[in-house]
Amino acid sequence: ARTPETTGTMEAVAIRPTGRTIVDRDSQLAELEQLWETARAGRAITVLDAFHDMGDPAGVAGRLHDCLTPTGVCMLVGPFAGDRLIDNLTTLGRVYYATSTLACTPSALSQSDAPPLGAQAGPARLIAVLEGAGFRSVRVAATTPFNLVIEARS
Protein backbone atom coordinates (compact mmCIF):
# COMPACT_ATOMS: atom_id res chain seq x y z
CA ALA A 1 0.00 0.00 0.00
CA ARG A 2 1.14 3.53 -0.72
CA THR A 3 1.24 5.42 2.54
CA PRO A 4 2.91 8.82 2.62
CA GLU A 5 5.45 9.61 5.26
CA THR A 6 4.40 12.75 7.05
CA THR A 7 6.45 15.79 7.95
CA GLY A 8 3.76 17.65 9.83
CA THR A 9 1.87 18.94 6.79
CA MET A 10 0.24 17.09 3.95
CA GLU A 11 1.09 20.02 1.65
CA ALA A 12 4.69 18.81 1.41
CA VAL A 13 3.76 15.24 0.48
CA ALA A 14 3.14 13.96 -3.04
CA ILE A 15 2.57 10.36 -4.11
CA ARG A 16 4.15 9.50 -7.43
CA PRO A 17 2.47 6.94 -9.72
CA THR A 18 5.52 4.74 -9.20
CA GLY A 19 4.61 4.44 -5.55
CA ARG A 20 7.56 6.56 -4.43
CA THR A 21 6.82 9.22 -1.87
CA ILE A 22 8.33 12.66 -2.23
CA VAL A 23 8.34 14.51 1.06
CA ASP A 24 10.79 17.31 0.35
CA ARG A 25 9.20 20.14 -1.68
CA ASP A 26 12.63 21.30 -2.96
CA SER A 27 13.38 17.90 -4.47
CA GLN A 28 9.90 17.88 -6.00
CA LEU A 29 10.53 21.26 -7.65
CA ALA A 30 13.95 20.13 -8.85
CA GLU A 31 12.36 17.05 -10.41
CA LEU A 32 9.76 19.22 -12.16
CA GLU A 33 12.52 21.44 -13.55
CA GLN A 34 14.22 18.32 -14.95
CA LEU A 35 10.93 17.35 -16.60
CA TRP A 36 10.68 20.82 -18.16
CA GLU A 37 14.19 20.50 -19.56
CA THR A 38 13.32 17.09 -21.00
CA ALA A 39 10.11 18.46 -22.51
CA ARG A 40 12.04 21.38 -24.02
CA ALA A 41 13.48 19.05 -26.64
CA GLY A 42 10.06 17.52 -27.24
CA ARG A 43 7.79 17.57 -30.21
CA ALA A 44 4.64 16.88 -28.21
CA ILE A 45 3.32 17.78 -24.78
CA THR A 46 0.04 16.57 -23.32
CA VAL A 47 -1.58 18.28 -20.34
CA LEU A 48 -4.20 16.04 -18.73
CA ASP A 49 -6.86 17.61 -16.53
CA ALA A 50 -4.50 20.24 -15.11
CA PHE A 51 -4.49 23.43 -17.20
CA HIS A 52 -7.67 24.76 -15.60
CA ASP A 53 -5.99 24.40 -12.16
CA MET A 54 -3.05 26.65 -13.02
CA GLY A 55 -2.67 29.93 -11.16
CA ASP A 56 -1.09 31.57 -14.20
CA PRO A 57 -2.48 29.78 -17.26
CA ALA A 58 -1.07 32.39 -19.65
CA GLY A 59 2.41 31.92 -18.15
CA VAL A 60 2.09 28.15 -18.30
CA ALA A 61 0.92 28.33 -21.92
CA GLY A 62 3.93 30.49 -22.76
CA ARG A 63 6.26 27.99 -21.10
CA LEU A 64 4.64 25.10 -22.97
CA HIS A 65 5.07 26.98 -26.24
CA ASP A 66 8.73 27.69 -25.47
CA CYS A 67 9.37 24.02 -24.74
CA LEU A 68 8.14 22.78 -28.10
CA THR A 69 10.07 22.48 -31.32
CA PRO A 70 8.85 24.67 -34.22
CA THR A 71 6.67 21.80 -35.47
CA GLY A 72 5.58 20.70 -32.00
CA VAL A 73 2.07 20.20 -30.73
CA CYS A 74 0.49 20.61 -27.32
CA MET A 75 -2.71 18.75 -26.45
CA LEU A 76 -4.82 20.00 -23.54
CA VAL A 77 -7.37 17.55 -22.18
CA GLY A 78 -9.71 18.96 -19.58
CA PRO A 79 -13.26 18.90 -18.31
CA PHE A 80 -15.85 19.62 -20.97
CA ALA A 81 -17.30 23.13 -20.78
CA GLY A 82 -19.22 25.39 -23.09
CA ASP A 83 -18.46 29.06 -23.60
CA ARG A 84 -21.75 30.26 -22.10
CA LEU A 85 -23.24 29.59 -18.67
CA ILE A 86 -26.41 28.18 -20.22
CA ASP A 87 -24.31 25.57 -22.07
CA ASN A 88 -22.96 24.29 -18.76
CA LEU A 89 -26.22 23.95 -16.81
CA THR A 90 -26.44 20.21 -17.31
CA THR A 91 -26.19 17.58 -14.60
CA LEU A 92 -22.50 17.03 -15.35
CA GLY A 93 -21.88 20.76 -15.77
CA ARG A 94 -23.27 21.38 -12.29
CA VAL A 95 -20.96 18.71 -10.87
CA TYR A 96 -18.01 20.37 -12.65
CA TYR A 97 -19.01 23.82 -11.30
CA ALA A 98 -19.24 22.44 -7.76
CA THR A 99 -15.87 20.68 -8.01
CA SER A 100 -14.22 23.72 -9.53
CA THR A 101 -15.66 26.01 -6.86
CA LEU A 102 -14.41 23.77 -4.05
CA ALA A 103 -11.05 22.65 -5.44
CA CYS A 104 -9.81 23.94 -8.79
CA THR A 105 -10.48 27.67 -8.54
CA PRO A 106 -9.25 28.12 -4.93
CA SER A 107 -6.10 26.20 -5.85
CA ALA A 108 -5.48 28.42 -8.87
CA LEU A 109 -6.15 31.59 -6.87
CA SER A 110 -3.65 30.50 -4.20
CA GLN A 111 -0.81 30.02 -6.71
CA SER A 112 -0.45 33.43 -8.31
CA ASP A 113 -1.75 36.96 -8.64
CA ALA A 114 -2.32 36.34 -12.36
CA PRO A 115 -5.92 35.78 -13.44
CA PRO A 116 -6.86 32.07 -13.47
CA LEU A 117 -9.27 30.54 -15.95
CA GLY A 118 -11.98 30.17 -13.31
CA ALA A 119 -14.76 27.64 -13.22
CA GLN A 120 -15.72 25.96 -16.49
CA ALA A 121 -13.41 27.58 -19.04
CA GLY A 122 -14.87 26.87 -22.46
CA PRO A 123 -13.02 26.48 -25.75
CA ALA A 124 -13.05 30.21 -26.63
CA ARG A 125 -11.28 31.10 -23.38
CA LEU A 126 -8.75 28.26 -23.68
CA ILE A 127 -8.01 29.07 -27.32
CA ALA A 128 -7.51 32.77 -26.51
CA VAL A 129 -4.99 31.95 -23.77
CA LEU A 130 -3.04 29.59 -26.04
CA GLU A 131 -3.02 32.00 -28.98
CA GLY A 132 -1.89 34.77 -26.64
CA ALA A 133 1.07 32.57 -25.68
CA GLY A 134 2.21 32.33 -29.30
CA PHE A 135 0.62 29.12 -30.56
CA ARG A 136 -0.11 29.65 -34.26
CA SER A 137 -2.82 27.07 -34.81
CA VAL A 138 -5.26 26.24 -32.01
CA ARG A 139 -8.44 24.21 -32.41
CA VAL A 140 -10.87 21.95 -30.63
CA ALA A 141 -9.62 18.51 -31.66
CA ALA A 142 -12.29 16.42 -29.92
CA THR A 143 -15.08 16.55 -27.41
CA THR A 144 -16.88 13.97 -25.32
CA PRO A 145 -19.61 14.56 -22.75
CA PHE A 146 -16.80 14.57 -20.17
CA ASN A 147 -13.73 16.04 -21.87
CA LEU A 148 -12.60 18.78 -24.20
CA VAL A 149 -9.40 18.25 -26.20
CA ILE A 150 -7.59 21.32 -27.53
CA GLU A 151 -4.75 20.99 -30.05
CA ALA A 152 -2.23 23.85 -30.15
CA ARG A 153 0.61 23.91 -32.69
CA SER A 154 3.72 25.99 -32.12
Side-chain angles (χ1 to χ4, degrees):
R2 300 183 326 181
T3 9
E5 300 168 18
T6 59
T7 60
T9 66
M10 288 306 292
E11 175 182 306
V13 177
I15 304 288
R16 304 261 317 186
T18 59
R20 258 187 17 221
T21 302
I22 299 175
V23 178
D24 178 18
R25 185 174 214 126
D26 290 336
S27 67
Q28 191 176 10
L29 291 174
E31 189 168 334
L32 286 172
E33 280 300 320
Q34 286 178 329
L35 289 174
W36 273 117
E37 290 306 315
T38 302
R40 180 177 235 73
R43 294 170 31 125
I45 298 173
T46 302
V47 181
L48 299 171
D49 195 24
F51 194 69
H52 65 280
D53 295 322
M54 301 295 167
D56 181 9
V60 170
R63 187 76 185 260
L64 291 169
H65 181 267
D66 292 346
C67 288
L68 289 170
T69 62
T71 58
V73 63
C74 178
M75 301 296 283
L76 297 184
V77 181
F80 179 83
D83 291 321
R84 301 174 309 150
L85 173 63
I86 193 72
D87 299 331
N88 298 321
L89 295 181
T90 63
T91 302
L92 185 60
R94 289 179 174 116
V95 170
Y96 283 167
Y97 270 123
T99 303
S100 182
T101 300
L102 293 174
C104 308
T105 302
S107 173
L109 288 169
S110 73
Q111 295 171 32
S112 169
D113 290 331
L117 290 169
Q120 294 292 86
R125 182 94 190 268
L126 296 169
I127 288 169
V129 169
L130 292 165
E131 287 177 340
F135 285 96
R136 63 177 165 76
S137 172
V138 184
R139 69 181 185 97
V140 175
T143 61
T144 73
F146 301 98
N147 292 96
L148 178 65
V149 180
I150 305 286
E151 173 190 74
R153 295 198 172 268
S154 57

